[in-house]
Amino acid sequence: MHRQWLLDHIEDYEARFPDELETSERFKQFVAAHDDCFERTCLPGHVTGSAWIIDQAGQRILLTHHRKLNMWIQLGGHSDGDPNSLNVALREANEESGLTVTPVAESIFDLDIHLIPARKSEPAHYHYDVRYILVAESDAFTISEESLDLAWVSPKELPTLTDEESMLRMLAKWTAGQYKT
């Protein structure tokens, strides 16, 4: 089954983050119930991949001021049929920043389920977002059409740009060293 790789990685995530069991169980149920969960055409929602990009020194995080959502968040996007969410995160990081990035680990850093509002002909739906820590080979990024801006920010700066719960959760995991496997 093309969904098994992700389901196995979510099981590993559950073992590392048992306090997030409600989210991971909901995530697994969605993936198991929808053969087309990696496609945008899956109307209840779809799996996406995101990148918590850090600099070489591990001191800063690259954020995008997302054009459609008008908020500072991590880079990422749609799976477009790719069942390997790590590959999706790597692809999206490169497309949205021009950076060459490498994963810190294959393990999932964070899972998040969030509602995307209806827009034009697209109904409201959920993004089942799988997030990974990636390291940028350089600091020199390129801003894509999907972003209003990109910025390297320190952990102390991040809360001044967003109060989004999942961003603050990832920051807490990062600063506590919970990304290590």
Side-chain angles (χ1 to χ4, degrees):
M1 165 167 72
H2 69 289
R3 296 169 284 170
Q4 193 60 52
W5 183 89
L6 179 55
L7 291 169
D8 290 345
H9 281 254
I10 294 172
E11 289 284 337
D12 171 70
Y13 183 82
E14 282 182 340
R16 292 182 295 115
F17 298 103
D19 56 326
E20 296 180 37
L21 192 60
E22 183 179 326
T23 298
S24 59
E25 284 297 319
R26 184 174 161 204
F27 214 112
K28 287 191 311 186
Q29 289 170 5
F30 172 78
V31 171
H34 297 277
D35 189 50
D36 60 345
C37 65
F38 301 107
E39 302 290 346
R40 294 183 202 212
T41 54
C42 183
L43 294 181
H46 32 265
V47 175
T48 57
S50 289
W52 181 264
I53 301 174
I54 60 172
D55 65 8
Q56 285 286 314
Q59 301 298 311
R60 298 176 300 160
I61 306 133
L62 185 65
L63 299 181
T64 176
H65 188 180
H66 196 276
R67 185 175 299 279
K68 289 181 184 174
L69 299 175
N70 192 29
M71 60 191 301
W72 287 96
I73 56 175
Q74 77 286 349
L75 287 73
H78 292 96
S79 297
D80 292 328
D82 188 344
N84 185 318
S85 50
L86 176 55
N87 287 343
V88 174
L90 290 163
R91 179 189 75 227
E92 291 293 327
N94 180 264
E95 287 177 5
E96 293 181 15
S97 71
L99 292 171
T100 300
V101 293
T102 55
V104 168
E106 275 195 20
S107 56
I108 297 169
F109 174 54
D110 190 66
L111 291 175
D112 190 65
I113 303 167
H114 52 272
L115 183 64
I116 301 297
R119 199 168 169 274
K120 297 182 182 176
S121 63
E122 189 175 86
H125 60 281
Y126 285 94
H127 278 183
Y128 290 78
D129 199 29
V130 187
R131 298 162 172 186
Y132 297 89
I133 299 175
L134 308 179
V135 179
E137 289 187 9
S138 77
D139 289 349
F141 55 75
T142 304
I143 300 171
S144 77
E145 291 180 7
E146 295 183 39
S147 300
L148 295 170
D149 198 5
L150 293 177
W152 286 106
V153 300
S154 72
K156 289 182 181 179
E157 291 173 285
L158 191 139
T160 68
L161 296 174
T162 183
D163 61 356
E164 210 287 307
E165 180 184 332
S166 75
M167 292 296 295
L168 299 177
R169 182 180 61 241
M170 287 189 292
L171 177 61
K173 286 179 180 179
W174 173 253
T175 56
Q178 291 180 312
Y179 57 92
K180 299 174 182 166
T181 57

